[in-house]
Amino acid sequence: MGACLGVCSLLSCVSCLCGSAPCLLCGCCPSAKNSTVSRLLFTFFLFLGTLVSIIMIIPGVEKELHKLPGFCEGSSSGVLGVQAHVDCGSFLGHKAVYRMGFALAAFFFLFAVLTVCVRSSRDPRAALQNGFWFFKFLVLVGITVGAFYIPDGAFTSVWFYFGVVGSFLFILIQLILLIDFAHSWSQVWLRNAGESNAKGWYAALCIITSIFYASSIAAAVLLYIYYTKPQDCTEGKVLISINLILCLIVSAVSILPKIQEAQPHSGLLQASLITLYTFYVTWSALANVPTRTCNPTLLVRNSTGSAVATQLQTTWWDAPSIVGLIIFILCTLFISLRSSDHPQVNKLMLTEEGAGAQGEGAPPGGSPRAYDNEQDGVSYSYSFFHLCLLLASLYIMMTLTNWYRPDEDLQVLRSPWTAVWVKICSSWAGLLLYLWTLVAPLVLPNRDFS
């Protein structure tokens, strides 16, 4: 009897996976807005693909990938028709991550196209966004299986550049979310301090700000010590110094009287958090410098050195990759769960707060099921959300492979200067964006930046 009840309960959950947008007939769905549940489930698909990618680059699993039919066919033609005789057995984990990234990107691109200009849940295409989850899973599995049959050829080399561009754009999205989070954090704490007249909130602000700046200074010193040499590594010295100067500039600008008058909630908390993130990006960039003398982690993570020339390892778990993975998880959850407190950020992220976010259509009595809150208007842009997940899949693909690319001549994985400059340019773009949020009310006094 208990087994029968368990089967019935399982079947009710399966019906939820196969059901339509509101999932009104399913008791196993949470009592939440349908828009939130949909975003979380798509994010779950992204995390599932990420988990599969991580498993595939585990050395024990990577050695078994050659058994997949059509995955490793030996030598093939390279970019622009140049023959590239590559021992693809040396890059199995790398190739598997690229194909998993391609499958995720293709999946989210498909739904970005299918949900263009959906204005409310009354649009028949809204059911594609908010329902039929079992069939979506089957589509993702089908695309993934097909991706592993893509001929070797120039796929890896070409897809590398797609990953570079997508990762650059996702880093910019990370910076936008970080700036918004820093502003919201500062506003909440200052508001609490003003309402309670307690000095504890101000003390907490000072302590957190000091910790961030102390961590940034320590990071800069360590970068100078480990990624530069007294008579060499000019590029590293210049890049660290430029970012250090830019961080000092934005920190000074954030506390100028004119800025404080225009934006009372701006201050060193936001600047310290942006500074700390900037030095993380700088660290990640320097970890991709292809010169062994200027990059102490290159010998461990690359196969260019004669000492490890016979051990063509393609998997690494270094600190920049781990931090990047954590930031990736936090940012994708942030995109899925939260609308910004700032209208300008909502416009930039195409989040229409208030359009369908008031809970219309909520079932009476708090029934434990997902309900449709988008009958009058969607609470976010479906297409833009999928584009964000598409960029996130490219970013995690590059992160798990450490932005390395195969060298067809030497049959090794190299770290190109392209990765260094993309990361450094993204850090500069983030600092300029934060600087603009500070000076925009002064430059454009007639616009509302509240």
Side-chain angles (χ1 to χ4, degrees), residues 261-275:
E261 181 181 350
Q263 297 195 66
H265 294 291
S266 67
L268 292 178
L269 176 63
Q270 300 96 310
S272 64
L273 184 58
I274 299 300
T275 298

Side-chain angles (χ1 to χ4, degrees), residues 39 108-109 111-118 129 169-170 172-174 176-177 335 345-352 378 380-392:
R39 283 182 285 184
F108 292 122
F109 178 77
F111 279 92
V113 173
L114 292 176
T115 57
V116 169
C117 297
V118 174
Q129 173 74 9
L169 296 176
F170 187 72
L172 293 183
I173 292 177
Q174 287 181 351
I176 293 173
L177 297 178
I335 293 172
V345 177
N346 284 327
K347 291 178 181 178
L348 187 61
M349 300 297 294
L350 298 184
T351 301
E352 302 173 10
V378 295
Y380 64 101
S381 171
Y382 291 172
S383 292
F384 186 77
F385 172 72
H386 289 297
L387 288 178
C388 288
L389 295 187
L390 186 157
L391 298 177

Side-chain angles (χ1 to χ4, degrees), residues 242-260:
I242 290 176
N243 278 1
L244 181 59
I245 294 172
L246 291 176
C247 289
L248 291 175
I249 291 174
V250 297
S251 297
V253 171
S254 66
I255 56 175
L256 290 176
K258 288 289 186 180
I259 300 296
Q260 290 291 310

Side-chain angles (χ1 to χ4, degrees), residues 134-341:
F134 179 73
F135 297 106
K136 290 176 185 176
F137 178 74
L138 292 182
V139 170
L140 178 58
V141 171
I143 296 176
T144 302
V145 172
F148 279 82
Y149 283 90
I150 297 176
D152 204 17
F155 171 78
T156 302
S157 299
V158 174
W159 194 241
F160 169 83
Y161 291 104
F162 278 90
V164 166
V165 175
S167 299
F168 175 81
L169 296 176
F170 187 72
I171 291 175
L172 293 183
I173 292 177
Q174 287 181 351
L175 290 165
I176 293 173
L177 297 178
L178 185 65
I179 293 171
D180 175 50
F181 171 74
H183 279 294
S184 300
W185 185 3
S186 178
Q187 286 182 6
V188 170
W189 281 23
L190 289 176
R191 186 185 308 121
N192 292 339
E195 292 176 353
S196 61
N197 293 321
K199 296 182 179 180
W201 291 104
Y202 293 107
L205 278 171
C206 293
I207 292 173
I208 296 298
T209 302
S210 300
I211 291 175
F212 285 162
Y213 273 123
S215 301
S216 301
I217 294 173
V221 172
L222 292 175
L223 291 179
Y224 276 119
I225 293 175
Y226 289 102
Y227 290 91
T228 64
K229 300 295 181 182
Q231 305 299 329
D232 199 1
C233 308
T234 304
E235 298 89 348
K237 296 176 184 176
V238 171
L239 294 178
I240 298 172
S241 300
I242 290 176
N243 278 1
L244 181 59
I245 294 172
L246 291 176
C247 289
L248 291 175
I249 291 174
V250 297
S251 297
V253 171
S254 66
I255 56 175
L256 290 176
K258 288 289 186 180
I259 300 296
Q260 290 291 310
E261 181 181 350
Q263 297 195 66
H265 294 291
S266 67
L268 292 178
L269 176 63
Q270 300 96 310
S272 64
L273 184 58
I274 299 300
T275 298
L276 184 60
Y277 183 80
T278 298
F279 276 103
Y280 156 70
V281 176
T282 306
W283 173 36
S284 179
L286 294 177
N288 279 112
V289 171
T291 306
R292 192 187 315 164
T293 57
C294 302
N295 185 357
T297 61
L298 186 63
L299 185 62
V300 178
R301 299 166 58 209
N302 201 349
S303 302
T304 57
S306 58
V308 291
T310 59
Q311 301 176 2
L312 300 180
Q313 300 179 359
T314 61
T315 58
W316 320 276
W317 287 104
D318 60 351
S321 296
I322 294 175
V323 175
L325 180 62
I326 294 173
I327 294 176
F328 155 79
I329 293 174
L330 294 177
C331 285
T332 49
L333 288 176
F334 194 90
I335 293 172
S336 302
L337 292 174
R338 184 179 182 275
S339 293
S340 173
D341 296 330

Side-chain angles (χ1 to χ4, degrees), residues 21-22 34 118-128 130 360 371-379 382:
N34 199 55
V118 174
R119 302 301 182 187
S120 71
S121 60
R122 292 187 176 92
D123 191 314
R125 292 176 298 159
L128 298 176
N130 300 317
E360 296 87 343
Y371 60 90
D372 185 4
N373 66 307
E374 298 181 309
Q375 294 181 0
D376 297 327
V378 295
S379 59
Y382 291 172

